[in-house]
Amino acid sequence: ETHFLALDKGLPQREFLEVIDIAAPISTTDAPLLAFDPEWLTISEARALVAQERAWVNANVKADARGALPIGNCQTFKMTTPVPGSEGEGANKLRQPPWYTNPQTEVFCRMLDIPNKINPPPTLPSSARSPSPPPPTKMAIGA
């Protein structure tokens, strides 16, 4: 393992580095093992996928003159649930609160053509289901 110890800035006349000697293993059976970290390997492999998705974003989500991707082009923030306590007392107080969709998450997911896994609608028995919303479609934002 590599451990880093920051003592000071690397400037003249400053003690910014500490060297620690560690005894080498006596036998070859105690030799250190160099191994790959699975997370690092995964991230390294993901670079091509990240580049591919960045190209999609560049083609489909239009930047403004400064190169920014303004949120206001596709999202309007608003209250999505009632104010706590405004639904009454009594039996309603003990009832499980209803599910509310988050319109900002919905628009964000549609913008990127990805499923909403953060705020998906609850799974209901088929007899209680309302018609499903249409699946996300690719759309250019800010064009």
Side-chain angles (χ1 to χ4, degrees), residues 79-92:
M79 185 167 55
T80 58
T81 64
V83 175
S86 67
E87 293 186 3
E89 292 293 324
N92 286 338

Side-chain angles (χ1 to χ4, degrees), residues 117-142:
K117 292 186 177 184
I118 293 175
N119 183 236
T123 305
L124 300 172
S126 59
S127 61
R129 283 190 198 141
S130 58
S132 299
T137 58
K138 287 194 182 221
M139 57 189 224
I141 303 298

Side-chain angles (χ1 to χ4, degrees), residues 3-106:
H3 296 273
F4 294 95
L5 175 64
L7 299 175
D8 203 346
K9 292 182 179 180
L11 298 171
Q13 307 302 315
R14 307 282 282 277
E15 293 184 26
F16 63 90
L17 182 66
E18 179 180 351
V19 177
I20 302 172
D21 290 322
I22 299 174
I26 297 172
S27 71
T28 57
T29 58
D30 295 333
L33 171 67
L34 296 177
F36 288 110
D37 177 67
E39 186 173 355
W40 177 83
L41 287 172
T42 303
I43 292 168
S44 296
E45 290 178 7
R47 283 194 171 129
L49 293 173
V50 169
Q52 176 184 339
E53 296 303 327
R54 178 63 188 258
W56 186 92
V57 167
N58 289 342
N60 293 281
V61 183
K62 301 303 176 197
D64 67 9
R66 295 174 295 180
L69 303 171
I71 291 172
N73 285 357
C74 67
Q75 294 192 352
T76 304
F77 294 97
K78 61 184 178 184
M79 185 167 55
T80 58
T81 64
V83 175
S86 67
E87 293 186 3
E89 292 293 324
N92 286 338
K93 183 177 181 181
L94 302 175
R95 192 181 74 201
Q96 176 71 23
W99 173 82
Y100 296 96
T101 187
N102 182 311
Q104 291 82 29
T105 303
E106 290 292 325

